Amino acid sequence: MAELPFLRRMARGVPIAIAAIALIASAPVHAASRTQILGAMKRATTFMVETVSTNGGYVWSYLPDKSRRWGELEATPSMIWVQPPGTATMGNLFLDAYHASGDEYYYAAAEKAAAALIWGERPDGGWNYFIDFAGPAATRHWYDTIGSNAWRMEEFQHYWGNATFDDDGTSEAMQFLLRLYVEKRDPKYRPAVDKAIRFVLASQYANGGWPQRWPLKHEFVHHGLADYTSYITFNDDVTAKNVEFLLLCYRALGDERLLDAVRRGMNVYLQAQQAAPQPGWALQYTPDDMRPAAARSYEPRALATHATAQAVEQLFRFYRLTGDPRYLARVPEALDWLESTRTPVEVAKGPNIYPTFIEIGTGKPLYLHRRGSNVVNGEYYADHDPAATLGHYSSFRTIDVPALRAEYARLKVLPQAELAQESPLLSSAPLPLPRYFVNGSEKASDLNLDRRRSSADALVKGLNSQGWWPTELTATSHPYSGDGSPEVVPGDYRSTRVGDATDTSPYPDPKPVIGISTGTYIVKMAELIRALDDAR
């Protein structure tokens, strides 16, 4: 699974649906002609649509014979993945290709992806991480086997039967359907867009925040912790992505009724910032009293340095949208506090290293550990010892505080007229949706792909005779072989990504095989689209 997202996927503060695909280095001059580029794009897309897809949808990677396939966990042949880089990512890529080429084949491919997503939308709106066309019984069986035995993947260990805002799946699906409707104003897509809008509005708390899952459930009491899915969630930019979607709807549809929800969604960031002497943010909060709360068993009740940095970036974005000085007012104290938490030199393994979690009250770093060998006998815990921390969820983060200070200083003196040029809230004229959604800078690193941009000529030549780009699937997983044992299997699993042979969590493959990667297709196609634009 070359595209396993060990890093967070979305670039911060970018008002578009997908922020990360095209690679960051400058492209060399390409020798391929426009005809060759269009031909390669069409061959690759035809293979994905007509050979790989399941009812118009996709998972993340496949063995060449499709005998095994994966999303974030191993999938069955009847499943497609919503979570990026999945079906909605592909839909956005198809629309990008349609804009670049004018070929109706890509629009038809986008419609197929939309049909798959609409089929799998939850009754109240929104999506789960995946869709299983085999129905509810097959979904429950997957959760009872593969999902429940993924030791470190606690979000998959229980089937809530509702929708999730986690990991951008619902957000990206909603944005794609909005974009597809706007493309030709085809009325058959308007109900899906309206349902998505109702879902976001209905799930928003009065104070402006959103839960991780909705409709609310409280049933998964795990490892002595309460069900965290009803908590107001900042992790993975849940709140920010919902604000972004509503703003896109306002831009595209002109519905001013959405603006109250937008403003409340932005203002909940102000409410969530803690008082001195710890003016940072947590990953999630109890909705009634806005107190920091625990989530998964390796996400303790604590302040989070990366969440604080991301919250500051969102406040910058909200200031650019509104010009409201409240969004900058407490940034300096947040950055001062953040700087005070920097990891000591004797512990840090590089510059700008910060502990992930800071204990509330004491200000001490909390480091993450586990013991045991599988989901049955295993246990996560946090303490003040930086030795032998988790391998799959880092106890340390790299944060560029000087860059945040520089952006704060820049925004403080930025003329209001400049803000109005790019803000749908301040602009005197409607702002159209971006031409391309799959265009940014982080996707390649998130997918463990080569960060160097390839020439169009190399991309054309790299496509194999079947129409796909061969990719090393750098991650794999143990097939489900039965539930974990209460007895600990000998071995040191403290810092590994996977436990014993019953753990279905993905892990780096020491001998990666060549396979079909949805993420590779997305990256390569985005580069070819850029090459088409460059060649105009």
Side-chain angles (χ1 to χ4, degrees):
M1 292 177 294
E3 59 278 71
L4 188 68
F6 294 130
L7 307 177
R8 289 301 90 199
R9 282 177 285 275
M10 296 300 173
R12 310 297 177 186
V14 181
I16 59 175
I18 294 294
I21 294 286
L23 310 185
I24 63 175
S26 59
V29 175
H30 46 76
S33 69
R34 179 177 177 83
T35 299
Q36 290 172 317
I37 293 170
L38 288 170
M41 289 172 58
K42 189 68 166 285
R43 279 207 305 130
T45 302
T46 300
F47 176 79
M48 295 299 290
V49 172
E50 299 180 14
T51 302
V52 174
S53 75
T54 299
N55 295 340
Y58 305 84
V59 296
W60 292 359
S61 57
Y62 308 76
L63 293 183
D65 63 0
K66 296 199 288 186
S67 59
R68 294 186 75 188
R69 62 190 69 196
W70 295 266
E72 191 160 18
L73 290 170
E74 184 161 8
T76 66
S78 59
M79 290 167 61
I80 63 172
W81 227 254
V82 179
Q83 188 182 3
T87 301
T89 320
M90 292 289 280
N92 273 317
L93 188 280
F94 295 146
L95 287 179
D96 286 1
Y98 176 60
H99 287 167
S101 69
D103 188 337
E104 291 289 335
Y105 182 83
Y106 296 108
Y107 183 82
E111 288 199 294
K112 291 177 182 178
L117 290 169
I118 292 170
W119 188 94
E121 189 174 11
R122 305 297 307 169
D124 295 291
W127 286 264
N128 192 22
Y129 297 105
F130 61 84
I131 296 165
D132 195 332
F133 290 104
T139 298
R140 289 189 177 278
H141 178 73
W142 184 92
Y143 270 98
D144 289 342
T145 54
I146 293 173
S148 65
N149 281 281
W151 183 13
R152 65 181 177 84
M153 314 291 287
E154 293 180 8
E155 63 271 35
F156 291 104
Q157 292 173 8
H158 177 76
Y159 179 52
W160 285 269
N162 56 7
T164 181
F165 286 117
D166 188 37
D167 279 350
D168 301 319
T170 287
S171 171
E172 189 175 30
M174 295 189 301
Q175 291 180 2
F176 164 57
L177 292 174
L178 170 69
R179 190 181 177 209
L180 185 63
Y181 167 69
V182 169
E183 186 66 38
K184 295 186 178 182
R185 300 284 171 172
D186 187 332
K188 71 183 178 184
Y189 295 117
R190 186 60 189 259
V193 172
D194 289 341
K195 185 177 181 181
I197 293 172
R198 289 194 300 270
F199 172 74
V200 174
L201 296 179
S203 59
Q204 186 180 30
Y205 287 113
N207 62 14
W210 278 274
Q212 188 186 82
R213 302 191 72 103
W214 197 82
L216 299 179
K217 298 289 184 74
H218 305 279
E219 62 201 43
F220 185 46
V221 178
H222 66 297
H223 309 288
L225 298 171
D227 191 315
Y228 59 88
T229 56
S230 66
Y231 297 160
I232 289 174
T233 303
F234 293 92
N235 193 16
D236 290 338
D237 281 341
V238 163
T239 297
K241 286 295 179 181
N242 285 332
V243 168
E244 181 180 308
F245 170 68
L246 294 175
L247 279 173
L248 287 170
C249 291
Y250 172 66
R251 289 171 65 171
L253 308 175
D255 189 346
E256 294 189 358
R257 295 174 299 172
L258 305 179
L259 296 183
D260 175 67
V262 167
R263 294 189 180 99
R264 287 188 290 119
M266 294 191 292
N267 289 343
V268 77
Y269 276 83
L270 302 178
Q271 300 173 53
Q273 185 175 9
Q274 299 297 283
Q278 293 182 299
W281 280 262
L283 291 175
Q284 53 278 317
Y285 295 76
T286 47
D288 294 334
D289 55 13
M290 288 297 290
R291 294 174 64 85
R296 291 175 292 188
S297 58
Y298 45 84
E299 291 170 324
R301 179 180 178 272
L303 299 183
T305 56
H306 63 301
T308 296
Q310 291 162 10
V312 167
E313 290 173 344
Q314 290 302 330
L315 292 177
F316 290 161
R317 176 175 171 242
F318 300 155
Y319 178 75
R320 291 193 295 268
L321 286 167
T322 65
D324 188 336
R326 293 181 305 151
Y327 295 117
L328 298 183
R330 295 188 64 199
V331 165
E333 62 179 294
L335 296 180
D336 288 346
W337 173 78
L338 196 57
E339 186 65 42
S340 75
T341 69
R342 186 198 295 264
T343 301
V345 174
E346 60 270 21
V347 177
K349 298 180 181 179
N352 298 323
I353 303 298
Y354 293 79
T356 297
F357 292 114
I358 302 296
E359 193 170 45
I360 295 172
T362 69
K364 295 180 180 180
L366 289 173
Y367 300 108
L368 307 172
H369 309 275
R370 72 179 183 183
R371 48 186 162 238
S373 66
N374 61 48
V375 71
V376 175
N377 62 53
E379 178 187 16
Y380 285 93
Y381 62 98
D383 62 19
H384 303 300
D385 183 359
T389 57
L390 298 183
H392 67 81
Y393 193 102
S394 181
S395 288
F396 304 92
R397 306 287 163 147
T398 300
I399 301 172
D400 192 343
V401 174
L404 295 174
R405 291 192 188 278
E407 178 64 5
Y408 169 79
R410 187 187 74 84
L411 291 175
K412 285 286 288 184
V413 298
L414 190 68
Q416 291 285 314
E418 287 192 33
L419 296 176
Q421 292 176 5
E422 298 184 1
S423 169
L425 301 179
L426 300 176
S427 175
S428 59
L431 295 177
L433 296 183
R435 176 177 174 82
Y436 299 135
F437 271 43
V438 185
N439 183 22
S441 62
E442 285 186 355
K443 184 64 72 178
S445 60
D446 288 341
L447 306 184
N448 291 332
L449 300 177
D450 193 334
R451 293 176 65 90
R452 295 171 298 175
R453 285 183 62 192
S454 303
S455 70
D457 187 56
L459 292 170
V460 170
K461 292 178 179 177
L463 200 62
N464 70 13
S465 60
Q466 294 176 283
W468 51 281
W469 283 284
T471 302
E472 281 194 349
L473 305 185
T474 57
T476 188
S477 62
H478 297 309
Y480 174 71
S481 59
D483 294 343
S485 168
E487 301 298 322
V488 175
V489 173
D492 185 355
Y493 303 105
R494 292 176 299 171
S495 298
T496 60
R497 292 188 181 272
V498 70
D500 62 39
T502 65
D503 184 358
T504 54
S505 304
Y507 63 92
D509 192 339
K511 296 180 179 180
V513 299
I514 299 297
I516 301 163
S517 165
T518 302
T520 295
Y521 166 82
I522 293 167
V523 169
K524 304 296 189 186
M525 283 287 290
E527 288 192 300
L528 288 173
I529 289 169
R530 179 168 292 189
L532 277 183
D533 275 359
D534 290 346
R536 288 185 188 276

